[in-house]
Amino acid sequence: MFAFTDEHQALREVVRALFSDTDDPATGWRRLLGEIGADEIILGSTESDDTGSPIDLAILAEEAGAALFGGPLIPTVLAGQFAAALGDADLISALRDGTQTVAATLGDDSPVWHGPGAHLLLVRRGGWVALFDATDPDVVLTPVDGLDPSRPLARHTVGAATPIARSEGESTGAEHIVSLALSAELLGVAQHALDGTVQYVAQRVQFGRTIGSFQAVKHRLVDLLAKVELTRSAVYGAAWQLTSDPGAISTEVDLAVAAALSRDTALAVTKAAIQLHGGIAITYEHWAHRYFRRAHAVTALTGTAGRYRRRLADLVDLRDGAHV
């Protein structure tokens, strides 16, 4: 049975404190990898098998989502999985102290995540994965505007650049761990939006009463809380499965459930946060608006809840022996 340990709680507290104490993503990223040692959680250990578990990564990603952290977490996770699949830890050694960063595409039609200023570029396309030197003159990263300004995006061309390393075929392990990290990030977005909204309605007064005392508001917040808690169970259930039995089809089922629920929940909670704050939350500067953007951006770039429900249906048929 899964339960959070004292070490898990300590990790959460340290990471949360770091994110709350750092406004600059580049500085926060270097501190995260250098001071806390999160490089072993994200990239794996170079000295032993004692690396961070998927549960550790889920905690880190959840807190990153809650803080709207702008560091290159997802591309770095992908780079770590790529190096592990090739058995060549030296490929990513320059990333471990946070002074160099990697950008990555998440699929054939994906923009580059965290492209501007990256030193390495990981491209996933048409069944192959390749790592390029992003400072090569033939590698061009062109920044593009995205819905979420806290996560910079770019378009890329590699021209005649020779990859540093290349592999044929996608890594199932990479897909699974990134799916978990994104679901955990959206859980963090939803939890923070819910917490901020509960705090606001307990203070906002209308008709001589706090709006949180109105029955309609109470009922809506309870429904949102139920969504968040169900998503939390799904995300950490998937993390536990990925830790204990990564190759099982039941693990893929749990990951699909977590992906679908996290997208539904993040969109529902951030939408409600804006509505329950009133007109002020529609403004670009308000925190609720920025969390709304993060939830929608991740969903638009990585797939809707409907996509993962279709994936779940296929997996259940496969698990139960049906032809799909």
Side-chain angles (χ1 to χ4, degrees), residues 251-276:
T251 300
E252 294 192 56
V253 168
D254 285 356
L255 286 166
V257 170
L261 285 176
S262 63
R263 283 155 178 79
D264 269 342
T265 298
L267 294 181
V269 174
T270 55
K271 176 182 177 181
I274 288 178
Q275 292 174 337
L276 290 170

Side-chain angles (χ1 to χ4, degrees), residues 35-286:
E35 294 180 17
I36 295 179
D39 62 303
E40 295 198 355
I41 297 175
I42 300 168
L43 294 167
S45 173
T46 59
E47 299 179 355
S48 69
D49 294 331
D50 186 22
T51 61
S53 71
I55 298 168
D56 296 325
L57 180 61
I59 292 170
L60 175 58
E62 182 188 348
E63 293 302 321
L68 286 192
F69 181 57
L73 176 60
I74 301 301
T76 310
V77 169
L78 275 172
Q81 292 293 312
F82 175 72
L86 293 180
D88 188 355
D90 290 340
L91 285 173
I92 55 171
S93 59
L95 302 178
R96 288 192 174 273
D97 63 359
T99 56
Q100 293 193 19
T101 61
V102 62
T105 63
L106 270 63
D108 288 353
D109 299 321
S110 168
V112 176
W113 288 38
H114 298 278
H119 301 84
L120 297 172
L121 171 64
L122 189 69
V123 178
R124 308 167 79 202
R125 182 188 301 161
W128 57 263
V129 185
L131 185 68
F132 293 89
D133 178 357
T135 65
D136 187 313
D138 286 322
V139 176
V140 178
L141 293 172
T142 306
V144 296
D145 292 331
L147 181 63
D148 175 17
S150 67
R151 174 167 276 149
L153 302 176
R155 295 294 181 189
H156 78 283
T157 58
V158 295
T162 301
I164 299 170
R166 174 176 169 136
S167 69
E168 298 296 330
E170 291 281 359
S171 167
T172 301
E175 292 180 356
H176 288 177
I177 203 71
V178 169
S179 178
L180 174 67
L182 288 169
S183 295
E185 177 182 309
L186 289 173
L187 169 62
V189 168
Q191 182 69 71
H192 184 91
L194 178 61
D195 290 344
T197 303
V198 169
Q199 183 179 16
Y200 177 79
V201 301
Q203 300 171 349
R204 179 74 168 94
V205 175
Q206 284 185 339
F207 310 112
R209 297 170 56 188
T210 58
I211 63 173
S213 67
F214 298 148
Q215 192 174 51
V217 174
K218 288 181 178 179
H219 286 178
R220 190 167 189 188
L221 289 173
V222 168
D223 288 342
L224 295 175
L225 175 62
K227 283 180 174 289
V228 171
E229 289 304 310
L230 181 61
T231 301
R232 183 176 305 282
S233 295
V235 167
Y236 285 100
W240 173 244
Q241 276 289 104
L242 199 55
T243 302
S244 60
D245 197 358
I249 191 168
S250 59
T251 300
E252 294 192 56
V253 168
D254 285 356
L255 286 166
V257 170
L261 285 176
S262 63
R263 283 155 178 79
D264 269 342
T265 298
L267 294 181
V269 174
T270 55
K271 176 182 177 181
I274 288 178
Q275 292 174 337
L276 290 170
H277 275 78
I280 188 176
I282 297 175
T283 59
Y284 184 83
E285 297 84 359
H286 196 275

